[in-house]
Amino acid sequence: DADDFSLMTRDWGSPVTTHARIGEMGGVQGIGACLRADLQTGLLADEVEQGNFTKRKEIYGVNRYIKKPLKPLWLYAWETWSSDKMLMVLTLAAAVSTAVGIWEASHATEDADKNGWIEGVAIFAAVIIVTLVGSVTDWSKAKKFRAMDNEKDEKFSIIVRNGKEIEIPNADILVGDLVVLRTGYSVPTDGVWVTGTELLKASEAAMTGESRGVPKNFKENLLLSGTEIVDGEGLMLTVAVGPR
């Protein structure tokens, strides 16, 4: 009911306060009760049978991130040029050289050299080429990173709902879902350890820089989205999805 769901609105951002709140809520068992999730069978049958999980999504959101559109190429070009003082100096020099060359050509006698402006134009061309090379490189990198992010969104995980193991897209995992953890699996959401083998470890190198696997058990019970299971297997209860 509404009272059950109201207990789901918690801030899981700080590991220190999170450990304290897990204790306040009666450990993982208490959290499971608050989230209307059985620690063996997952989300309860009444919700699973309805299938839309509207209330749960309204309160805790979905496991998707709002992505800003890629910056246009012209903006990368502007940033490349404006961040390089040498390019700015060369642009000024080119402008002065071109202007002087044009003025001299317009006032020169028939026998005088009227091509002095070409040097300024050549400098302009060099600045444009350098700017385009730098901006296109940055733009291409941004496109590749966005493609990698999209691939992550398309990954699947195994969860337990109403006692059944099912494979679903990471974007469809909800708060309260039981996520199956196995060696080589990426952790798709923030969660709390429910059960696991003694060898269960997660690599948190992407988050903390720690290269060694961190044991996960009833004491070290927080699992963070984006980390990877490097040994063992187990179950975790999802407590936060997406940007929350």
Side-chain angles (χ1 to χ4, degrees):
D1 58 23
D3 289 337
D4 292 323
F5 280 105
S6 67
L7 292 171
M8 294 163 59
T9 55
R10 296 275 181 161
D11 175 15
W12 303 93
S14 167
V16 176
T17 57
T18 299
H19 279 298
R21 285 179 177 174
I22 290 173
E24 290 174 6
M25 298 173 72
V28 67
Q29 291 82 6
I31 295 173
C34 292
L35 301 182
R36 301 185 73 249
D38 186 279
L39 298 185
Q40 292 183 331
T41 60
L43 295 182
L44 303 181
D46 58 344
E47 272 194 276
V48 175
E49 290 170 1
Q50 291 176 6
N52 56 11
F53 306 102
T54 302
K55 186 97 176 180
R56 194 172 290 270
K57 291 178 181 178
E58 286 177 358
I59 294 174
Y60 240 104
V62 294
N63 199 31
R64 296 182 178 90
Y65 294 85
I66 299 175
K67 296 177 180 177
K68 295 181 180 179
L70 284 176
K71 292 184 292 187
L73 181 57
W74 68 264
L75 187 54
Y76 279 100
W78 166 256
E79 291 176 349
T80 298
W81 178 83
S82 61
S83 62
D84 191 322
K85 292 182 179 179
M86 181 59 70
L87 289 178
M88 298 175 71
V89 170
L90 287 173
T91 302
L92 179 61
V96 171
S97 179
T98 302
V100 170
I102 292 174
W103 185 87
E104 289 179 343
S106 65
H107 292 78
T109 61
E110 292 185 2
D111 298 332
D113 182 12
K114 298 182 179 181
N115 297 323
W117 56 271
I118 293 178
E119 182 179 348
V121 172
I123 298 174
F124 267 129
V127 169
I128 291 172
I129 291 171
V130 172
T131 300
L132 283 177
V133 169
S135 58
V136 169
T137 300
D138 291 341
W139 182 63
S140 298
K141 287 180 180 178
K143 288 183 67 177
K144 289 180 181 178
F145 282 126
R146 177 57 58 88
M148 291 171 62
D149 285 341
N150 291 337
E151 287 180 6
K152 290 180 182 178
D153 292 343
E154 295 171 0
K155 287 185 177 180
F156 286 73
S157 294
I158 298 174
I159 66 167
V160 179
R161 282 184 184 169
N162 197 21
K164 298 179 181 178
E165 283 193 5
I166 58 174
E167 187 176 36
I168 66 172
N170 286 355
D172 293 339
I173 298 175
L174 302 170
V175 166
D177 270 326
L178 285 179
V179 178
V180 176
L181 307 172
R182 289 174 184 154
T183 303
Y185 284 17
S186 294
V187 180
T189 63
D190 291 344
V192 179
W193 177 92
V194 173
T195 186
T197 61
E198 292 183 3
L199 296 177
L200 182 61
K201 295 179 181 179
S203 170
E204 298 180 350
M207 302 293 179
T208 64
E210 175 60 54
S211 58
R212 293 178 299 178
V214 179
K216 295 299 173 182
N217 47 52
F218 69 97
K219 290 184 177 179
E220 295 294 331
N221 52 14
L222 295 178
L223 292 111
L224 301 177
S225 175
T227 57
E228 184 176 345
I229 302 303
V230 293
D231 204 354
E233 60 182 46
L235 282 175
M236 80 168 194
L237 177 67
T238 297
V239 296
V241 294
R244 302 195 179 191

PDB file of all heavy atoms in Angstrom, residues 99-136:
ATOM      1  N   ALA A  99      44.281  42.661 -43.774  1.00  0.00           N
ATOM      2  CA  ALA A  99      43.769  44.030 -43.905  1.00  0.00           C
ATOM      3  C   ALA A  99      44.845  44.968 -44.474  1.00  0.00           C
ATOM      4  O   ALA A  99      44.571  45.773 -45.383  1.00  0.00           O
ATOM      5  CB  ALA A  99      43.291  44.535 -42.554  1.00  0.00           C
ATOM      6  N   VAL A 100      46.050  44.858 -43.943  1.00  0.00           N
ATOM      7  CA  VAL A 100      47.151  45.694 -44.433  1.00  0.00           C
ATOM      8  C   VAL A 100      47.452  45.373 -45.892  1.00  0.00           C
ATOM      9  O   VAL A 100      47.678  46.279 -46.727  1.00  0.00           O
ATOM     10  CB  VAL A 100      48.410  45.503 -43.560  1.00  0.00           C
ATOM     11  CG1 VAL A 100      49.618  46.183 -44.204  1.00  0.00           C
ATOM     12  CG2 VAL A 100      48.166  46.038 -42.159  1.00  0.00           C
ATOM     13  N   GLY A 101      47.453  44.091 -46.223  1.00  0.00           N
ATOM     14  CA  GLY A 101      47.731  43.678 -47.599  1.00  0.00           C
ATOM     15  C   GLY A 101      46.708  44.212 -48.575  1.00  0.00           C
ATOM     16  O   GLY A 101      47.046  44.663 -49.676  1.00  0.00           O
ATOM     17  N   ILE A 102      45.429  44.160 -48.172  1.00  0.00           N
ATOM     18  CA  ILE A 102      44.362  44.673 -49.046  1.00  0.00           C
ATOM     19  C   ILE A 102      44.497  46.192 -49.204  1.00  0.00           C
ATOM     20  O   ILE A 102      44.341  46.746 -50.298  1.00  0.00           O
ATOM     21  CB  ILE A 102      42.982  44.290 -48.476  1.00  0.00           C
ATOM     22  CG1 ILE A 102      42.779  42.770 -48.563  1.00  0.00           C
ATOM     23  CG2 ILE A 102      41.869  45.024 -49.216  1.00  0.00           C
ATOM     24  CD1 ILE A 102      41.520  42.278 -47.899  1.00  0.00           C
ATOM     25  N   TRP A 103      44.796  46.870 -48.094  1.00  0.00           N
ATOM     26  CA  TRP A 103      44.946  48.341 -48.153  1.00  0.00           C
ATOM     27  C   TRP A 103      46.102  48.727 -49.057  1.00  0.00           C
ATOM     28  O   TRP A 103      45.996  49.619 -49.898  1.00  0.00           O
ATOM     29  CB  TRP A 103      45.167  48.889 -46.754  1.00  0.00           C
ATOM     30  CG  TRP A 103      45.215  50.400 -46.713  1.00  0.00           C
ATOM     31  CD1 TRP A 103      44.168  51.247 -46.587  1.00  0.00           C
ATOM     32  CD2 TRP A 103      46.389  51.206 -46.823  1.00  0.00           C
ATOM     33  NE1 TRP A 103      44.590  52.552 -46.594  1.00  0.00           N
ATOM     34  CE2 TRP A 103      45.960  52.557 -46.756  1.00  0.00           C
ATOM     35  CE3 TRP A 103      47.747  50.926 -46.977  1.00  0.00           C
ATOM     36  CZ2 TRP A 103      46.851  53.631 -46.826  1.00  0.00           C
ATOM     37  CZ3 TRP A 103      48.630  51.996 -47.062  1.00  0.00           C
ATOM     38  CH2 TRP A 103      48.183  53.330 -46.987  1.00  0.00           C
ATOM     39  N   GLU A 104      47.226  48.019 -48.894  1.00  0.00           N
ATOM     40  CA  GLU A 104      48.394  48.320 -49.713  1.00  0.00           C
ATOM     41  C   GLU A 104      48.123  48.033 -51.184  1.00  0.00           C
ATOM     42  O   GLU A 104      48.555  48.779 -52.077  1.00  0.00           O
ATOM     43  CB  GLU A 104      49.596  47.503 -49.243  1.00  0.00           C
ATOM     44  CG  GLU A 104      50.159  47.963 -47.898  1.00  0.00           C
ATOM     45  CD  GLU A 104      51.329  47.108 -47.455  1.00  0.00           C
ATOM     46  OE1 GLU A 104      51.502  45.988 -48.009  1.00  0.00           O
ATOM     47  OE2 GLU A 104      52.055  47.536 -46.531  1.00  0.00           O
ATOM     48  N   ALA A 105      47.381  46.949 -51.453  1.00  0.00           N
ATOM     49  CA  ALA A 105      47.081  46.603 -52.838  1.00  0.00           C
ATOM     50  C   ALA A 105      46.193  47.652 -53.486  1.00  0.00           C
ATOM     51  O   ALA A 105      46.343  47.976 -54.672  1.00  0.00           O
ATOM     52  CB  ALA A 105      46.419  45.234 -52.900  1.00  0.00           C
ATOM     53  N   SER A 106      45.270  48.205 -52.678  1.00  0.00           N
ATOM     54  CA  SER A 106      44.344  49.205 -53.234  1.00  0.00           C
ATOM     55  C   SER A 106      45.007  50.556 -53.468  1.00  0.00           C
ATOM     56  O   SER A 106      44.495  51.375 -54.234  1.00  0.00           O
ATOM     57  CB  SER A 106      43.141  49.369 -52.298  1.00  0.00           C
ATOM     58  OG  SER A 106      43.555  49.902 -51.047  1.00  0.00           O
ATOM     59  N   HIS A 107      46.126  50.788 -52.801  1.00  0.00           N
ATOM     60  CA  HIS A 107      46.812  52.075 -52.937  1.00  0.00           C
ATOM     61  C   HIS A 107      48.149  51.943 -53.682  1.00  0.00           C
ATOM     62  O   HIS A 107      48.903  52.916 -53.785  1.00  0.00           O
ATOM     63  CB  HIS A 107      47.077  52.703 -51.562  1.00  0.00           C
ATOM     64  CG  HIS A 107      45.825  53.142 -50.860  1.00  0.00           C
ATOM     65  ND1 HIS A 107      44.986  52.259 -50.223  1.00  0.00           N
ATOM     66  CD2 HIS A 107      45.261  54.380 -50.720  1.00  0.00           C
ATOM     67  CE1 HIS A 107      43.977  52.907 -49.692  1.00  0.00           C
ATOM     68  NE2 HIS A 107      44.111  54.219 -49.995  1.00  0.00           N
ATOM     69  N   ALA A 108      48.456  50.783 -54.132  1.00  0.00           N
ATOM     70  CA  ALA A 108      49.752  50.555 -54.772  1.00  0.00           C
ATOM     71  C   ALA A 108      49.737  51.019 -56.222  1.00  0.00           C
ATOM     72  O   ALA A 108      48.688  51.092 -56.866  1.00  0.00           O
ATOM     73  CB  ALA A 108      50.113  49.074 -54.701  1.00  0.00           C
ATOM     74  N   THR A 109      50.909  51.321 -56.725  1.00  0.00           N
ATOM     75  CA  THR A 109      51.052  51.679 -58.140  1.00  0.00           C
ATOM     76  C   THR A 109      50.992  50.406 -58.978  1.00  0.00           C
ATOM     77  O   THR A 109      51.019  49.285 -58.447  1.00  0.00           O
ATOM     78  CB  THR A 109      52.395  52.378 -58.366  1.00  0.00           C
ATOM     79  OG1 THR A 109      53.461  51.483 -58.017  1.00  0.00           O
ATOM     80  CG2 THR A 109      52.486  53.646 -57.523  1.00  0.00           C
ATOM     81  N   GLU A 110      50.936  50.570 -60.251  1.00  0.00           N
ATOM     82  CA  GLU A 110      50.799  49.414 -61.127  1.00  0.00           C
ATOM     83  C   GLU A 110      51.991  48.465 -61.017  1.00  0.00           C
ATOM     84  O   GLU A 110      51.846  47.257 -61.173  1.00  0.00           O
ATOM     85  CB  GLU A 110      50.650  49.886 -62.577  1.00  0.00           C
ATOM     86  CG  GLU A 110      49.337  50.600 -62.851  1.00  0.00           C
ATOM     87  CD  GLU A 110      49.185  50.951 -64.316  1.00  0.00           C
ATOM     88  OE1 GLU A 110      50.104  50.590 -65.093  1.00  0.00           O
ATOM     89  OE2 GLU A 110      48.166  51.556 -64.669  1.00  0.00           O
ATOM     90  N   ASP A 111      53.179  49.009 -60.771  1.00  0.00           N
ATOM     91  CA  ASP A 111      54.381  48.171 -60.692  1.00  0.00           C
ATOM     92  C   ASP A 111      54.585  47.522 -59.316  1.00  0.00           C
ATOM     93  O   ASP A 111      55.431  46.633 -59.169  1.00  0.00           O
ATOM     94  CB  ASP A 111      55.627  49.011 -61.028  1.00  0.00           C
ATOM     95  CG  ASP A 111      55.564  49.552 -62.449  1.00  0.00           C
ATOM     96  OD1 ASP A 111      54.908  48.892 -63.282  1.00  0.00           O
ATOM     97  OD2 ASP A 111      56.159  50.615 -62.692  1.00  0.00           O
ATOM     98  N   ALA A 112      53.843  47.954 -58.303  1.00  0.00           N
ATOM     99  CA  ALA A 112      54.047  47.447 -56.932  1.00  0.00           C
ATOM    100  C   ALA A 112      53.401  46.065 -56.765  1.00  0.00           C
ATOM    101  O   ALA A 112      52.496  45.667 -57.497  1.00  0.00           O
ATOM    102  CB  ALA A 112      53.455  48.416 -55.923  1.00  0.00           C
ATOM    103  N   ASP A 113      53.911  45.332 -55.763  1.00  0.00           N
ATOM    104  CA  ASP A 113      53.358  44.010 -55.435  1.00  0.00           C
ATOM    105  C   ASP A 113      51.992  44.183 -54.773  1.00  0.00           C
ATOM    106  O   ASP A 113      51.875  44.840 -53.739  1.00  0.00           O
ATOM    107  CB  ASP A 113      54.315  43.277 -54.492  1.00  0.00           C
ATOM    108  CG  ASP A 113      53.818  41.876 -54.162  1.00  0.00           C
ATOM    109  OD1 ASP A 113      52.866  41.406 -54.833  1.00  0.00           O
ATOM    110  OD2 ASP A 113      54.372  41.253 -53.234  1.00  0.00           O
ATOM    111  N   LYS A 114      50.973  43.575 -55.354  1.00  0.00           N
ATOM    112  CA  LYS A 114      49.617  43.694 -54.815  1.00  0.00           C
ATOM    113  C   LYS A 114      49.139  42.393 -54.155  1.00  0.00           C
ATOM    114  O   LYS A 114      47.945  42.207 -53.926  1.00  0.00           O
ATOM    115  CB  LYS A 114      48.647  44.072 -55.937  1.00  0.00           C
ATOM    116  CG  LYS A 114      48.966  45.422 -56.575  1.00  0.00           C
ATOM    117  CD  LYS A 114      47.948  45.762 -57.647  1.00  0.00           C
ATOM    118  CE  LYS A 114      48.262  47.129 -58.270  1.00  0.00           C
ATOM    119  NZ  LYS A 114      47.264  47.495 -59.309  1.00  0.00           N
ATOM    120  N   ASN A 115      50.040  41.512 -53.845  1.00  0.00           N
ATOM    121  CA  ASN A 115      49.670  40.194 -53.274  1.00  0.00           C
ATOM    122  C   ASN A 115      50.033  40.061 -51.795  1.00  0.00           C
ATOM    123  O   ASN A 115      50.152  38.950 -51.274  1.00  0.00           O
ATOM    124  CB  ASN A 115      50.351  39.077 -54.062  1.00  0.00           C
ATOM    125  CG  ASN A 115      49.888  39.043 -55.508  1.00  0.00           C
ATOM    126  OD1 ASN A 115      48.718  39.280 -55.797  1.00  0.00           O
ATOM    127  ND2 ASN A 115      50.823  38.771 -56.423  1.00  0.00           N
ATOM    128  N   GLY A 116      50.218  41.164 -51.116  1.00  0.00           N
ATOM    129  CA  GLY A 116      50.582  41.105 -49.705  1.00  0.00           C
ATOM    130  C   GLY A 116      49.520  40.473 -48.826  1.00  0.00           C
ATOM    131  O   GLY A 116      49.823  39.907 -47.764  1.00  0.00           O
ATOM    132  N   TRP A 117      48.269  40.530 -49.267  1.00  0.00           N
ATOM    133  CA  TRP A 117      47.161  39.959 -48.478  1.00  0.00           C
ATOM    134  C   TRP A 117      47.194  38.427 -48.445  1.00  0.00           C
ATOM    135  O   TRP A 117      46.573  37.797 -47.578  1.00  0.00           O
ATOM    136  CB  TRP A 117      45.823  40.421 -49.061  1.00  0.00           C
ATOM    137  CG  TRP A 117      45.673  40.073 -50.522  1.00  0.00           C
ATOM    138  CD1 TRP A 117      46.052  40.821 -51.582  1.00  0.00           C
ATOM    139  CD2 TRP A 117      45.125  38.863 -51.058  1.00  0.00           C
ATOM    140  NE1 TRP A 117      45.780  40.183 -52.767  1.00  0.00           N
ATOM    141  CE2 TRP A 117      45.198  38.960 -52.472  1.00  0.00           C
ATOM    142  CE3 TRP A 117      44.580  37.716 -50.502  1.00  0.00           C
ATOM    143  CZ2 TRP A 117      44.754  37.956 -53.317  1.00  0.00           C
ATOM    144  CZ3 TRP A 117      44.125  36.717 -51.345  1.00  0.00           C
ATOM    145  CH2 TRP A 117      44.209  36.834 -52.743  1.00  0.00           C
ATOM    146  N   ILE A 118      47.935  37.801 -49.381  1.00  0.00           N
ATOM    147  CA  ILE A 118      47.937  36.337 -49.467  1.00  0.00           C
ATOM    148  C   ILE A 118      48.522  35.708 -48.201  1.00  0.00           C
ATOM    149  O   ILE A 118      48.070  34.663 -47.737  1.00  0.00           O
ATOM    150  CB  ILE A 118      48.737  35.887 -50.710  1.00  0.00           C
ATOM    151  CG1 ILE A 118      48.002  36.325 -51.979  1.00  0.00           C
ATOM    152  CG2 ILE A 118      48.942  34.373 -50.696  1.00  0.00           C
ATOM    153  CD1 ILE A 118      48.729  35.960 -53.259  1.00  0.00           C
ATOM    154  N   GLU A 119      49.533  36.373 -47.629  1.00  0.00           N
ATOM    155  CA  GLU A 119      50.138  35.834 -46.398  1.00  0.00           C
ATOM    156  C   GLU A 119      49.113  35.721 -45.273  1.00  0.00           C
ATOM    157  O   GLU A 119      49.060  34.723 -44.556  1.00  0.00           O
ATOM    158  CB  GLU A 119      51.302  36.711 -45.976  1.00  0.00           C
ATOM    159  CG  GLU A 119      52.025  36.187 -44.735  1.00  0.00           C
ATOM    160  CD  GLU A 119      53.208  37.056 -44.334  1.00  0.00           C
ATOM    161  OE1 GLU A 119      53.619  37.923 -45.136  1.00  0.00           O
ATOM    162  OE2 GLU A 119      53.706  36.852 -43.200  1.00  0.00           O
ATOM    163  N   GLY A 120      48.282  36.770 -45.126  1.00  0.00           N
ATOM    164  CA  GLY A 120      47.246  36.735 -44.087  1.00  0.00           C
ATOM    165  C   GLY A 120      46.229  35.637 -44.331  1.00  0.00           C
ATOM    166  O   GLY A 120      45.811  34.931 -43.400  1.00  0.00           O
ATOM    167  N   VAL A 121      45.829  35.468 -45.577  1.00  0.00           N
ATOM    168  CA  VAL A 121      44.877  34.409 -45.922  1.00  0.00           C
ATOM    169  C   VAL A 121      45.472  33.030 -45.636  1.00  0.00           C
ATOM    170  O   VAL A 121      44.785  32.122 -45.158  1.00  0.00           O
ATOM    171  CB  VAL A 121      44.452  34.521 -47.399  1.00  0.00           C
ATOM    172  CG1 VAL A 121      43.619  33.315 -47.815  1.00  0.00           C
ATOM    173  CG2 VAL A 121      43.670  35.808 -47.627  1.00  0.00           C
ATOM    174  N   ALA A 122      46.770  32.873 -45.909  1.00  0.00           N
ATOM    175  CA  ALA A 122      47.435  31.591 -45.636  1.00  0.00           C
ATOM    176  C   ALA A 122      47.424  31.273 -44.141  1.00  0.00           C
ATOM    177  O   ALA A 122      47.219  30.119 -43.737  1.00  0.00           O
ATOM    178  CB  ALA A 122      48.868  31.629 -46.160  1.00  0.00           C
ATOM    179  N   ILE A 123      47.632  32.315 -43.339  1.00  0.00           N
ATOM    180  CA  ILE A 123      47.586  32.099 -41.879  1.00  0.00           C
ATOM    181  C   ILE A 123      46.176  31.710 -41.456  1.00  0.00           C
ATOM    182  O   ILE A 123      45.971  30.805 -40.634  1.00  0.00           O
ATOM    183  CB  ILE A 123      48.051  33.366 -41.126  1.00  0.00           C
ATOM    184  CG1 ILE A 123      49.507  33.689 -41.472  1.00  0.00           C
ATOM    185  CG2 ILE A 123      47.900  33.173 -39.615  1.00  0.00           C
ATOM    186  CD1 ILE A 123      49.999  35.000 -40.892  1.00  0.00           C
ATOM    187  N   PHE A 124      45.162  32.396 -42.017  1.00  0.00           N
ATOM    188  CA  PHE A 124      43.769  32.045 -41.738  1.00  0.00           C
ATOM    189  C   PHE A 124      43.510  30.570 -42.067  1.00  0.00           C
ATOM    190  O   PHE A 124      42.879  29.839 -41.291  1.00  0.00           O
ATOM    191  CB  PHE A 124      42.821  32.913 -42.565  1.00  0.00           C
ATOM    192  CG  PHE A 124      42.360  34.153 -41.864  1.00  0.00           C
ATOM    193  CD1 PHE A 124      42.473  35.386 -42.494  1.00  0.00           C
ATOM    194  CD2 PHE A 124      41.801  34.103 -40.597  1.00  0.00           C
ATOM    195  CE1 PHE A 124      42.047  36.537 -41.855  1.00  0.00           C
ATOM    196  CE2 PHE A 124      41.371  35.255 -39.953  1.00  0.00           C
ATOM    197  CZ  PHE A 124      41.490  36.485 -40.586  1.00  0.00           C
ATOM    198  N   ALA A 125      43.984  30.138 -43.224  1.00  0.00           N
ATOM    199  CA  ALA A 125      43.777  28.753 -43.650  1.00  0.00           C
ATOM    200  C   ALA A 125      44.424  27.775 -42.676  1.00  0.00           C
ATOM    201  O   ALA A 125      43.834  26.738 -42.324  1.00  0.00           O
ATOM    202  CB  ALA A 125      44.344  28.555 -45.058  1.00  0.00           C
ATOM    203  N   ALA A 126      45.617  28.097 -42.203  1.00  0.00           N
ATOM    204  CA  ALA A 126      46.312  27.223 -41.249  1.00  0.00           C
ATOM    205  C   ALA A 126      45.537  27.119 -39.943  1.00  0.00           C
ATOM    206  O   ALA A 126      45.390  26.031 -39.371  1.00  0.00           O
ATOM    207  CB  ALA A 126      47.729  27.754 -40.999  1.00  0.00           C
ATOM    208  N   VAL A 127      45.024  28.267 -39.478  1.00  0.00           N
ATOM    209  CA  VAL A 127      44.235  28.272 -38.237  1.00  0.00           C
ATOM    210  C   VAL A 127      42.985  27.415 -38.396  1.00  0.00           C
ATOM    211  O   VAL A 127      42.624  26.633 -37.510  1.00  0.00           O
ATOM    212  CB  VAL A 127      43.863  29.714 -37.841  1.00  0.00           C
ATOM    213  CG1 VAL A 127      42.825  29.705 -36.720  1.00  0.00           C
ATOM    214  CG2 VAL A 127      45.099  30.488 -37.416  1.00  0.00           C
ATOM    215  N   ILE A 128      42.308  27.546 -39.528  1.00  0.00           N
ATOM    216  CA  ILE A 128      41.086  26.772 -39.781  1.00  0.00           C
ATOM    217  C   ILE A 128      41.378  25.278 -39.807  1.00  0.00           C
ATOM    218  O   ILE A 128      40.650  24.469 -39.223  1.00  0.00           O
ATOM    219  CB  ILE A 128      40.436  27.221 -41.105  1.00  0.00           C
ATOM    220  CG1 ILE A 128      39.883  28.634 -40.959  1.00  0.00           C
ATOM    221  CG2 ILE A 128      39.324  26.254 -41.513  1.00  0.00           C
ATOM    222  CD1 ILE A 128      39.398  29.243 -42.255  1.00  0.00           C
ATOM    223  N   ILE A 129      42.476  24.900 -40.472  1.00  0.00           N
ATOM    224  CA  ILE A 129      42.826  23.480 -40.562  1.00  0.00           C
ATOM    225  C   ILE A 129      43.122  22.897 -39.183  1.00  0.00           C
ATOM    226  O   ILE A 129      42.612  21.828 -38.817  1.00  0.00           O
ATOM    227  CB  ILE A 129      44.040  23.287 -41.500  1.00  0.00           C
ATOM    228  CG1 ILE A 129      43.636  23.591 -42.938  1.00  0.00           C
ATOM    229  CG2 ILE A 129      44.583  21.867 -41.382  1.00  0.00           C
ATOM    230  CD1 ILE A 129      44.807  23.633 -43.905  1.00  0.00           C
ATOM    231  N   VAL A 130      43.936  23.611 -38.394  1.00  0.00           N
ATOM    232  CA  VAL A 130      44.273  23.128 -37.047  1.00  0.00           C
ATOM    233  C   VAL A 130      43.017  23.026 -36.184  1.00  0.00           C
ATOM    234  O   VAL A 130      42.811  22.047 -35.448  1.00  0.00           O
ATOM    235  CB  VAL A 130      45.308  24.057 -36.380  1.00  0.00           C
ATOM    236  CG1 VAL A 130      45.507  23.684 -34.910  1.00  0.00           C
ATOM    237  CG2 VAL A 130      46.633  23.993 -37.123  1.00  0.00           C
ATOM    238  N   THR A 131      42.155  24.029 -36.284  1.00  0.00           N
ATOM    239  CA  THR A 131      40.925  24.026 -35.492  1.00  0.00           C
ATOM    240  C   THR A 131      40.013  22.867 -35.889  1.00  0.00           C
ATOM    241  O   THR A 131      39.449  22.176 -35.019  1.00  0.00           O
ATOM    242  CB  THR A 131      40.165  25.352 -35.671  1.00  0.00           C
ATOM    243  OG1 THR A 131      40.995  26.434 -35.247  1.00  0.00           O
ATOM    244  CG2 THR A 131      38.876  25.357 -34.857  1.00  0.00           C
ATOM    245  N   LEU A 132      39.876  22.631 -37.174  1.00  0.00           N
ATOM    246  CA  LEU A 132      39.016  21.548 -37.646  1.00  0.00           C
ATOM    247  C   LEU A 132      39.555  20.179 -37.242  1.00  0.00           C
ATOM    248  O   LEU A 132      38.790  19.307 -36.815  1.00  0.00           O
ATOM    249  CB  LEU A 132      38.871  21.616 -39.166  1.00  0.00           C
ATOM    250  CG  LEU A 132      37.929  22.690 -39.706  1.00  0.00           C
ATOM    251  CD1 LEU A 132      37.928  22.698 -41.226  1.00  0.00           C
ATOM    252  CD2 LEU A 132      36.508  22.471 -39.171  1.00  0.00           C
ATOM    253  N   VAL A 133      40.863  20.002 -37.336  1.00  0.00           N
ATOM    254  CA  VAL A 133      41.452  18.716 -36.955  1.00  0.00           C
ATOM    255  C   VAL A 133      41.180  18.425 -35.472  1.00  0.00           C
ATOM    256  O   VAL A 133      40.750  17.332 -35.096  1.00  0.00           O
ATOM    257  CB  VAL A 133      42.967  18.697 -37.233  1.00  0.00           C
ATOM    258  CG1 VAL A 133      43.615  17.471 -36.591  1.00  0.00           C
ATOM    259  CG2 VAL A 133      43.223  18.699 -38.731  1.00  0.00           C
ATOM    260  N   GLY A 134      41.412  19.420 -34.622  1.00  0.00           N
ATOM    261  CA  GLY A 134      41.187  19.240 -33.187  1.00  0.00           C
ATOM    262  C   GLY A 134      39.728  19.015 -32.849  1.00  0.00           C
ATOM    263  O   GLY A 134      39.386  18.119 -32.057  1.00  0.00           O
ATOM    264  N   SER A 135      38.851  19.795 -33.460  1.00  0.00           N
ATOM    265  CA  SER A 135      37.422  19.692 -33.135  1.00  0.00           C
ATOM    266  C   SER A 135      36.814  18.400 -33.668  1.00  0.00           C
ATOM    267  O   SER A 135      35.994  17.771 -32.989  1.00  0.00           O
ATOM    268  CB  SER A 135      36.667  20.900 -33.690  1.00  0.00           C
ATOM    269  OG  SER A 135      36.844  21.006 -35.091  1.00  0.00           O
ATOM    270  N   VAL A 136      37.201  17.994 -34.871  1.00  0.00           N
ATOM    271  CA  VAL A 136      36.678  16.734 -35.424  1.00  0.00           C
ATOM    272  C   VAL A 136      37.142  15.549 -34.589  1.00  0.00           C
ATOM    273  O   VAL A 136      36.380  14.597 -34.351  1.00  0.00           O
ATOM    274  CB  VAL A 136      37.112  16.573 -36.898  1.00  0.00           C
ATOM    275  CG1 VAL A 136      36.809  15.160 -37.393  1.00  0.00           C
ATOM    276  CG2 VAL A 136      36.406  17.602 -37.772  1.00  0.00           C
TER     277      VAL A 136
END
